[in-house]
Amino acid sequence: MNGRRNFFRNIFSVGAGVAAASKLARGQRAETESTAESLPVRTPDIKDLPFSLDNGVKVFHLIAEPVKQEILPGKTIDLWGYNGSAPGPTIQVNQGDRVRIVFDNHLPEPTSMHWHGFEIPNEMDGAPGSSQDPVKPGGRFVYEFTLHQEGTYFYHPHMAMQEMIGMLGAFIMHPSVARAPRVDRDFVIMLQEYAILPNISIPNTMNMEFNWLTFNGKAGPAITPLIVRLGDRVRVRLINLGMDHHPIHLHGHTFFITGTEGGPIPQTLWYPGNTVLVGVAQARDFEFVANNPGDWMLHCHMPHHMMNQMTSTVGPMTRLGKGMPAGAGMEAHNMPGMDHGEMKMNVDVSPDANSVPGFPQDAFMSGPMMAMDQMVAKPENDGLRPGWSGFIQGMMTFVRVLPPDQYQRIMDFKAAQQARRSNGNQGSGGRRHGE
Ligand SMILES: [Cu+2]
């Protein structure tokens, strides 16, 4: 939150002069443009990286380090990331900015920082062995460049295995003249995947089968939904760094693909869809008018990416009332998926289920048994249908298109939560759930 505050303070104090100047130059129309220019993106569940100003240069301090990332309540894994999280904090700058990134390597091995898609001098590109020496453990490298591009970019090490243990961050370049039409909400979602055996906290970065799929470092249902107001124009920026392509699907709306990892797409080339394939190393922006009220799923449509798979064994190994359910691993006894901390086998299956070839498929993988509404309660989840969390796993969350009163209620909950936190009262995030 502090990062976001700094961002606002810095960007508005610097931006005021620019806005005034452009208003004079271009008349009244510039007013909405300069306002839109300053709209920061939000990266749910991930902080922004604050900066300081040094003679007009935006100075960021980025630290590569091992992190403990809680991807689901009770499921904390060992990743490598930046400044305490994987993915790392989001960097936001304006087109034309001079940027300095003081980079420290707190990893036990060499690394480097690559600025994906940036048109910058070769010696700033972060390609170890060619554009620079790798940054040694405990070492520092100062990157500095001027950014003339705009759009959805990202940063990562140019070390293949490090990419697969979490090292990624968003780098958003806001345009000097706002894109039209302007958006009311602007979100960033980073797509990552991990192969983690039961009872192990470290991903197997060589594995080609992934059982934990995350948006911004969280697996469903721990992902914070995108909250928008009915009628808002919404932009979602998707970034993928992994081994798989992800077809991201939105319910209830038709969106337009408006940008790639190379920046915005000219409006004449926008095309409609409800699913966008985000390939490895790609970014995709889509925009839509949230004109259809409701809690709409936003998810990867790869079936195996809509699951939290705790085990390598799936099959009819279970019988109601005894044994372990298919899909549960050895760690199932302390798996957070079960409300009240114990297996509940009250799943709706037919009496002859076990005689049906193929059973079970989803019966023990999702459903009411897997619900953990209370464990993931937070203001943004307020008012979701009871038991919702049993059906949201992996790369799944919601775009909640809310009428003004419902929207305001959630904003009030959030404000109250923040007030409690700044009072030093570290209450749990979900105390206000269900009022
Ligand atoms: Cu996927």
Side-chain angles (χ1 to χ4, degrees), residues 119-140:
E119 297 172 352
I120 52 177
N122 181 261
E123 62 270 23
M124 292 289 119
D125 187 51
S130 57
S131 75
Q132 68 169 93
D133 291 332
V135 184
K136 292 193 173 82
R140 167 175 287 192

Side-chain angles (χ1 to χ4, degrees), residues 46-47 49 61-67 69 79-91 101 103-107 111-115 155-159 162-163 165-170 192 241:
I46 292 292
K47 285 182 286 204
L49 189 62
H61 189 189
L62 199 58
I63 301 167
E65 60 186 358
V67 301
Q69 180 77 25
L79 299 177
W80 292 2
Y82 299 96
N83 299 56
S85 69
T90 294
I91 296 174
I101 293 143
F103 171 69
D104 284 322
N105 179 12
H106 292 182
L107 297 174
T111 187
S112 73
M113 290 307 303
H114 174 57
W115 315 99
Y155 60 86
H156 63 79
H158 214 277
M159 313 286 277
Q162 291 174 5
E163 293 175 16
I165 195 165
M167 303 193 77
L168 166 66
Q192 292 172 295
L241 196 69

Side-chain angles (χ1 to χ4, degrees), residues 217-229:
K218 300 281 185 188
I223 302 163
T224 299
L226 313 186
I227 306 296
V228 309
R229 200 178 348 217

Side-chain angles (χ1 to χ4, degrees), residues 35-173:
T35 305
E37 171 192 335
S38 301
L39 178 72
V41 299
R42 299 186 65 90
T43 313
D45 302 311
I46 292 292
K47 285 182 286 204
D48 282 338
L49 189 62
F51 62 87
S52 57
L53 283 172
D54 177 21
N55 283 324
V57 180
K58 285 182 179 166
V59 182
F60 295 88
H61 189 189
L62 199 58
I63 301 167
E65 60 186 358
V67 301
K68 301 272 184 195
Q69 180 77 25
E70 188 179 64
I71 58 173
L72 199 66
K75 183 75 180 177
T76 298
I77 59 176
D78 285 293
L79 299 177
W80 292 2
Y82 299 96
N83 299 56
S85 69
T90 294
I91 296 174
Q92 302 197 50
V93 302
N94 290 330
Q95 187 176 26
D97 278 348
R98 181 79 178 170
V99 172
R100 182 183 307 142
I101 293 143
V102 178
F103 171 69
D104 284 322
N105 179 12
H106 292 182
L107 297 174
E109 64 180 36
T111 187
S112 73
M113 290 307 303
H114 174 57
W115 315 99
H116 192 100
F118 291 30
E119 297 172 352
I120 52 177
N122 181 261
E123 62 270 23
M124 292 289 119
D125 187 51
S130 57
S131 75
Q132 68 169 93
D133 291 332
V135 184
K136 292 193 173 82
R140 167 175 287 192
F141 192 94
V142 179
Y143 296 88
E144 185 164 332
F145 33 72
T146 301
L147 295 168
H148 67 91
Q149 294 162 281
E150 60 133 320
T152 305
Y153 295 86
F154 45 102
Y155 60 86
H156 63 79
H158 214 277
M159 313 286 277
M161 305 313 296
Q162 291 174 5
E163 293 175 16
M164 288 312 298
I165 195 165
M167 303 193 77
L168 166 66
F171 198 122
I172 306 302
M173 303 183 202

Side-chain angles (χ1 to χ4, degrees), residues 213 245-247 300 302 305 395:
L213 291 296
H245 309 307
H246 301 287
C300 178
M302 295 273 275
H305 298 179
M395 287 178 169

